[in-house]
Amino acid sequence: MKIKGIKRGQTIELLEQINDIPDGTEIIVEFVISSNQITKTPQTLSDEERLSKLNQLFGVWQDQPELVEIFAEIDQQRHAYRGRVIDSIENQDKQ
């Protein structure tokens, strides 16, 4: 019996009904991949191409002066001492 299906992650979605096989039946699946569905893996970039792409990314935030203010505020909030909340002696006696 041959049935077509589509792989989605770790699941194979069957494209046809298989009512003649009862639930819980152990089956063996043989894979035959359609040649028209195979996609070529992208070619790897040369070192020069990689460096060129990285240099483009490094300059993305250039000429954005508000970033200095944003990161300064983040740094200030990260290092702000908020103290420790300690119950006063008066409140401890009431409990």
Side-chain angles (χ1 to χ4, degrees):
M1 172 188 302
K2 284 188 177 182
I3 299 174
K4 288 185 178 183
I6 298 175
K7 178 189 173 288
R8 300 182 197 284
Q10 292 296 318
T11 304
I12 298 174
E13 179 182 337
L14 301 178
L15 300 176
E16 303 170 28
Q17 293 291 326
I18 51 170
N19 296 327
D20 56 339
I21 301 174
D23 287 348
T25 302
E26 185 175 323
I27 60 171
I28 297 174
V29 179
E30 180 179 339
F31 292 101
V32 178
I33 300 172
S34 300
S35 60
N36 60 351
Q37 294 292 320
I38 298 174
T39 58
K40 292 184 178 180
T41 57
Q43 295 180 357
T44 57
L45 300 175
S46 69
D47 288 342
E48 292 81 20
E49 291 170 324
R50 259 190 230 146
L51 183 59
S52 172
K53 288 186 179 279
L54 283 173
N55 285 332
Q56 289 173 354
L57 288 173
F58 292 148
V60 170
W61 284 0
Q62 185 179 4
D63 301 328
Q64 294 189 19
E66 67 272 6
L67 286 178
V68 173
E69 297 170 17
I70 291 170
F71 282 108
E73 184 179 342
I74 291 171
D75 189 56
Q76 181 183 10
Q77 289 176 3
R78 286 184 58 217
H79 294 96
Y81 178 72
R82 291 179 174 73
R84 208 173 104 186
V85 177
I86 301 175
D87 285 338
S88 67
I89 295 175
E90 296 167 357
N91 289 340
Q92 290 179 358
D93 292 339
K94 294 179 183 177
Q95 292 178 358

